[in-house]
């Protein structure tokens, strides 16, 4: 649920669990003139480490009951996996991603590598096992409820640290501006999450608690699906003379400022101040609410991979030096693009998509 940027180089981002139903209509390859686009970020190399796979997506009129026999309304087979999807998004937005992961030397593994490479993702750091199977997921997309159900089969054998040599690791990191992990090391992630969240009685106080427990953390984002996201950013300058404000009351006041008539993603922010909650120390920073695009039900197709697209867009925004006020709506817009097409990657926009023009 939470994404974080940690400060020594290279920057590190962890995967949120986002299902955003907010997004722009899908453009196949409508393009803006390259002259109208801002320049690409100077530092464009991003290293990712995490899951890849093949998605078998079947749309159905409604989810089947036990022992039912039904027909699909559409079928698609394409690459998937959190890291694979996020770095595909990064590549389409103009960055140069490298990915560390593992597949088997089977038909699915070959298709995973080919699809990533065709989108501009560097797969030279993959581990390819001569035995076992590559990961894959069956995804049932319910056209009635606009939900998707995933049945995942992990790859085997799993990636272990010893399979990546020190020289390979250093080569993968060479020139990288940012490192992205998708949180698939769940045993470690659970320990960290429990430690960071256990004593936090509410979502706002949990964000405060995380920044206090992890002093190098610059910001945290919690995603709320169709309700957008909340971001807490640490500020490093000043703070001693700033007013102390309860974070719960501040969040409610920001919610009152939302313009419900707007359909495009927006961002509402507080001033920099000392934020507090009952029983928790203060953090000097800013609170943000990011809204999601309101998609007409007739245009919503599939939410698969919306969170991966959101993270990919955040990675691009950080490399481009976007402030949070610009980053959150941009990420919501990119994440939303895929919601109008079947599968995690079909609707991922390219940098030249005209729907991104105002956000870039």
């Amino acid at each position: 649920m939470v994404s974080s940027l940690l400060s020594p180089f290279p920057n590190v981002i962890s995967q949120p669990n986002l299902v955003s139903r907010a997004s722009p209509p899908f453009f196949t390859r409508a393009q803006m003139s390259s002259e109208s686009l801002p320049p690409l970020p100077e530092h464009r190399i991003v290293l990712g480490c995490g899951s890849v796979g093949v998605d078998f997506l079947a749309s159905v009129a409604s989810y089947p009951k036990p022992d039912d026999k039904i027909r699909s309304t559409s079928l698609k087979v394409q690459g998937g996996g959190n890291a694979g999807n996020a770095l595909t998004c990064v590549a389409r937005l103009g960055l140069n991603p490298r990915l560390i992961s593992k597949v088997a030397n089977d038909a699915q593994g070959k298709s995973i590598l080919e699809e990533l490479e065709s989108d501009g993702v560097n797969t030279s750091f993959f581990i390819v096992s001569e035995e076992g199977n590559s990961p894959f997921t069956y995804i049932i997309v319910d056209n009635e409820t606009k939900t998707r159900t995933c049945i995942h089969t992990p790859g085997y054998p799993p990636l272990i640290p010893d399979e990546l040599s020190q020289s390979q690791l250093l080569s993968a990191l060479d020139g990288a501006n940012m490192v992205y992990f998708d949180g698939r090391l769940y045993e470690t992630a659970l320990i960290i999450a429990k430690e960071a969240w256990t004593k936090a009685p509410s979502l706002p106080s949990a964000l405060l608690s995380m920044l206090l427990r992890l002093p190098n953390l610059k910001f945290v984002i919690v995603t709320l699906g169709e309700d957008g996201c909340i971001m807490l950013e640490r500020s490093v300058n000043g703070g001693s003379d700033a007013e102390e404000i309860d974070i719960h009351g501040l969040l409610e006041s920001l919610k009152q400022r939302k313009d419900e008539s707007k359909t495009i993603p927006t961002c509402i922010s507080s001033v920099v101040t000392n934020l507090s909650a009952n029983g928790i120390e203060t953090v000097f920073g800013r609170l943000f609410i990011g809204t999601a695009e309101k998609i007409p039900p007739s245009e919503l197709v599939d939410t698969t991979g919306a969170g991966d697209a959101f993270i990919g867009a955040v990675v691009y925004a950080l490399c481009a030096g976007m402030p949070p006020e610009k980053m959150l709506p941009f990420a919501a817009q990119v994440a939303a693009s895929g919601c109008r097409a079947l599968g995690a990657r079909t609707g991922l926009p390219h940098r030249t998509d005209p729907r991104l023009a105002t956000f870039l």
Side-chain angles (χ1 to χ4, degrees), residues 276-300:
S276 65
N278 290 335
I280 301 177
E281 298 176 40
T282 62
V283 169
F284 184 61
R286 286 196 297 168
L287 190 65
F288 300 83
I289 288 180
T291 67
E293 186 191 354
K294 297 177 181 177
I295 301 179
S298 60
E299 297 178 16
L300 182 60

Side-chain angles (χ1 to χ4, degrees), residues 31-218:
Q31 305 234 328
M32 290 184 289
S33 166
S34 58
E35 290 80 8
S36 65
L37 288 169
L40 283 165
E42 181 180 352
H43 303 290
R44 297 198 293 275
I45 298 176
V46 174
L47 175 63
C49 178
S51 64
V52 296
V54 174
D55 288 348
F56 297 90
L57 297 119
S59 294
V60 296
S62 61
Y63 195 81
K65 296 180 176 64
D67 211 31
D68 267 0
K69 292 183 179 180
I70 62 172
R71 292 180 181 270
S72 62
T73 57
S74 61
L75 176 69
K76 183 179 287 291
V77 180
Q78 68 176 195
N82 297 132
N85 295 337
L87 291 196
T88 297
C89 177
V90 163
R92 293 188 186 184
L93 292 174
L95 302 185
N96 299 329
R98 303 166 181 167
L99 183 55
I100 296 173
S101 192
K102 184 174 183 177
V103 294
N105 188 21
D106 54 13
Q108 291 174 177
K110 292 173 183 176
S111 70
I112 290 168
L113 295 176
E114 288 172 0
E115 186 173 349
L116 289 169
E117 289 162 2
S118 69
D119 259 309
V121 179
N122 183 338
T123 64
S124 61
F125 301 100
F126 264 64
I127 304 298
V128 180
S129 171
E130 289 302 320
E131 299 179 347
N133 65 277
S134 298
F136 61 93
T137 303
Y138 296 116
I139 301 176
I140 302 172
V141 180
D142 184 345
N143 293 332
E144 182 179 32
T145 61
K146 306 298 183 181
T147 58
R148 85 282 188 276
T149 302
C150 303
I151 306 169
H152 179 63
T153 300
Y156 184 84
L159 176 64
I160 58 176
D162 290 346
E163 291 182 279
L164 194 67
S165 69
Q166 184 71 10
S167 61
Q168 286 176 303
L169 179 58
L170 293 176
S171 179
L173 284 167
D174 185 34
N177 181 53
M178 190 172 298
V179 177
Y180 159 75
F181 304 99
D182 64 9
R184 283 295 175 177
L185 300 175
Y186 60 90
E187 295 95 342
T188 304
L190 281 173
I191 293 171
I192 296 172
K194 287 179 180 178
E195 183 64 25
W197 288 66
T198 297
K199 297 180 181 179
S202 66
L203 184 57
S205 57
L207 300 182
L208 273 179
S209 177
M210 292 184 74
L211 287 187
L212 287 166
R213 288 170 177 263
L214 303 171
N216 287 330
L217 208 63
K218 292 184 178 179

Side-chain angles (χ1 to χ4, degrees), residues 264-339:
I264 63 171
T266 59
C267 180
I268 304 159
S269 67
S270 72
V271 297
V272 179
T273 189
N274 281 311
L275 298 166
S276 65
N278 290 335
I280 301 177
E281 298 176 40
T282 62
V283 169
F284 184 61
R286 286 196 297 168
L287 190 65
F288 300 83
I289 288 180
T291 67
E293 186 191 354
K294 297 177 181 177
I295 301 179
S298 60
E299 297 178 16
L300 182 60
V301 176
D302 179 19
T303 60
T304 301
D308 303 329
F310 184 93
I311 284 297
V314 167
V315 170
Y316 175 89
L318 293 171
C319 289
M322 287 186 188
E325 295 90 341
K326 190 173 181 180
M327 177 179 73
L328 296 181
F330 171 71
Q333 185 81 355
V334 171
S337 295
C339 294

